Amino acid sequence: MLRVALIGSTGYTALEVARLLAAHRGAELTVATSRSDEGKPLAEIHPSLAGRCDIALSQFEPDEIAKQADVAMCCLPHGASAQSVKDLVDAGMRVVDFSADFRLSSVELYEHWYGVKHPWPERVGNVVYGMPEFFAEQIATADVVANPGCYPTSAIMPLAPLVKAGLVDCQDIIVDSKSGVSGAGRSPKLGTLYCEANEQIAAYAIASHRHGPEMQDLIHRISGQSVEVLFTPHLTPMDRGILSTIYVRPTVAAGQAPVDIQAKMMDKLRETYADEPFIHVVDHLPSTKHVAMTNHVQMTVRVSGTEEAPGRAVIVCAIDNLTKGASGAAIQNMNVMFGLDPSEGL
């Protein structure tokens, strides 16, 4: 059995890792750490694990963790994760990092958006992005994998193939995303209190959310094209899920009917993901309930306008933010890293 360490065990993504590993036939959780809850059973922190996980929480000691585990799932916050990842790698471990500390392609871009000095700058831009649909070969041999952001997953998946194929205007992309409250983490915050979040939907971080540059950076890496993305996230009163509605302007020759443009874009997405078990190009309009508690992605395209004046293409993509947007992607990455069936445990 592959032995897995959970670093930073009190949040929702850590709970999701433990839940998925409980059903994994080739891996098991052997270590779980917490700086503040040492000695407590993990099931005391996450009562839904009662009877399924008897791990006691321990302090973060990389050399000891390396004796008990083969791979670490690092669920620490941005800015705090990189040093722990370095310590684990130095101890001989392979790591899937949930933070944004290794996702971006340059130190300058990271330090601009996250406002902290990176403790392992030589690895920024030299860590594979954890999206096996595009980077499986590199993931298979990686010592560190940068697990994708949740919002970026819902945008990169549908956009990258269309940009690469030259089917959309790279300078006119709007990503409008709605997320469940779990996306804000488990620590209490004013905006996520029940009386603040319930019965309302609210935009936040307009043109300033850190996932905007991640979308642009990764679409460029995958497609070779520079893009401009206007990203607006919204908090919605549901536990989990992301629905992204993406507006693009197709690059089409005059006289093409919207239905033909739509078919061409759908065909490109189907061709790209034909062999990917988790990505589904569907005819219906996806919703968050269609993918809840799964590692699956659903996407579709609609094109407005007329043959004389084609309008925008509207792409709708749904994921579960805690599964394909975080912990499910991490399990998928782990499977690829260790030569297991990518779908195992998912």
Side-chain angles (χ1 to χ4, degrees):
M1 294 286 282
L2 183 64
R3 301 171 303 163
V4 184
L6 189 56
I7 312 301
S9 303
T10 60
Y12 291 131
T13 56
L15 169 60
E16 191 77 354
V17 168
R19 179 183 76 82
L20 293 169
L21 285 174
H24 199 295
R25 294 176 297 179
E28 60 181 346
L29 186 63
T30 57
V31 183
T33 76
S34 170
R35 289 187 172 92
S36 57
D37 294 296
E38 182 184 7
K40 292 182 180 179
L42 183 60
E44 181 178 324
I45 305 300
H46 300 296
S48 63
L49 297 175
R52 293 192 289 165
C53 182
D54 59 0
I55 297 290
L57 295 169
S58 59
Q59 284 292 320
F60 179 74
E61 297 177 358
D63 290 333
E64 289 302 313
I65 293 168
K67 295 175 184 177
Q68 302 174 62
D70 307 298
V71 60
M73 300 286 187
C74 196
C75 301
L76 298 174
H78 314 306
S81 188
Q83 185 61 55
S84 295
V85 172
K86 184 179 187 304
D87 293 342
L88 290 163
V89 171
D90 289 345
M93 296 198 68
R94 301 175 77 183
V95 183
V96 180
D97 181 38
F98 282 60
S99 81
D101 288 354
F102 299 98
R103 291 179 193 157
L104 299 176
S105 60
S106 75
V107 173
E108 293 76 19
L109 188 61
Y110 172 82
E111 293 184 352
H112 171 76
W113 283 95
Y114 288 88
V116 295
K117 191 168 182 62
H118 203 287
W120 202 9
E122 60 268 30
R123 288 304 303 267
V124 179
N126 294 300
V127 170
V128 60
Y129 193 76
M131 197 169 272
E133 291 80 7
F134 296 107
F135 303 110
E137 186 175 343
Q138 298 96 309
I139 291 169
T141 59
D143 59 346
V144 180
V145 173
N147 214 49
C150 52
Y151 281 128
T153 295
S154 70
I156 294 164
M157 286 288 187
L159 281 170
L162 301 179
V163 170
K164 187 174 182 178
L167 295 177
V168 301
D169 182 347
C170 295
Q171 305 307 307
D172 190 2
I173 299 172
I174 300 170
V175 177
D176 181 298
S177 299
K178 278 75 173 179
S179 174
V181 180
S182 60
R186 200 179 185 198
S187 299
K189 307 173 187 70
L190 177 62
T192 58
L193 296 176
Y194 179 83
C195 289
E196 300 291 332
N198 189 46
E199 297 294 341
Q200 77 150 353
I201 182 169
Y204 65 99
I206 296 175
S208 62
H209 196 284
R210 294 162 171 175
H211 282 176
E214 185 177 335
M215 294 174 188
Q216 294 185 166
D217 195 9
L218 267 296
I219 292 170
H220 176 257
R221 279 194 240 172
I222 293 166
S223 69
Q225 302 296 319
S226 295
V227 296
E228 289 290 334
V229 176
L230 177 60
F231 170 53
T232 303
H234 299 74
L235 186 68
T236 61
M238 58 184 182
D239 289 346
R240 57 199 295 161
I242 285 177
L243 186 76
S244 285
T245 308
I246 303 166
Y247 304 90
V248 297
R249 197 168 294 283
T251 53
V252 297
Q256 288 194 48
V259 66
D260 295 326
I261 301 169
Q262 177 177 310
K264 190 172 185 179
M265 296 176 79
M266 292 277 279
D267 286 347
K268 174 50 65 176
L269 292 173
R270 288 194 172 107
E271 174 190 327
T272 301
Y273 297 117
D275 298 323
E276 298 298 338
F278 297 116
I279 316 301
H280 311 288
V281 184
V282 298
D283 293 321
H284 62 264
L285 291 174
S287 80
T288 54
K289 280 195 173 181
H290 297 160
V291 295
M293 302 286 287
T294 80
N295 201 53
H296 293 273
V297 179
Q298 290 191 6
M299 62 182 74
T300 196
V301 180
R302 299 291 187 272
V303 178
S304 66
T306 65
E307 188 169 334
E308 291 74 26
R312 287 188 182 271
V314 181
I315 306 163
V316 181
C317 183
I319 69 168
D320 185 298
N321 63 298
L322 291 179
T323 315
K324 185 58 172 173
S327 305
I331 297 293
Q332 184 182 355
N333 283 317
M334 179 193 76
N335 289 341
V336 174
M337 291 169 78
F338 289 89
L340 304 175
D341 180 344
S343 300
E344 179 55 48
L346 298 169

